[in-house]
Amino acid sequence: MQFMVQGAWGVVPVHLNELSPPAWRGTFPGVVYQMGNLLSANAAMLQAKLAEHFVRPNGQRIMPSRWPA
């Protein structure tokens, strides 16, 4: 499994280096990676809010609104 994942996504930093301007070649992949982290950091909270909003046809919530303490 890991071999397949690395084979598919392991070339992305190299491709970003090739797309970047020569002056940014060392910095560009890291900056783009961190910007992706910044944009995806809110995903868990967004999914939780959406799960609280949507309700099954029988009235049961998909995810409990409060987690057990």
Side-chain angles (χ1 to χ4, degrees), residues 1-2 6 8-9 13-14 17 22-24 26-27 33 35 41-42 49 51 55 59 61 65-66 68-69:
M1 178 72 174
Q2 182 61 34
Q6 185 64 27
W9 298 107
V14 175
N17 266 337
W24 279 71
T27 313
Y33 180 80
M35 287 174 62
N42 199 18
K49 292 291 183 187
V55 180
R61 292 201 178 269
S65 59
R66 292 184 181 246

Side-chain angles (χ1 to χ4, degrees), residues 40 42-54 62-63:
S40 66
N42 199 18
M45 187 172 14
L46 179 64
Q47 288 177 4
K49 292 291 183 187
L50 286 171
E52 287 179 356
H53 178 72
F54 291 104
I62 295 173
M63 187 174 127

Side-chain angles (χ1 to χ4, degrees), residues 15-40:
H15 184 64
L16 287 174
N17 266 337
E18 292 174 358
L19 292 175
S20 64
W24 279 71
R25 292 252 163 120
T27 313
F28 189 70
V31 170
V32 171
Y33 180 80
Q34 292 301 330
M35 287 174 62
N37 285 340
L38 177 68
L39 294 174
S40 66

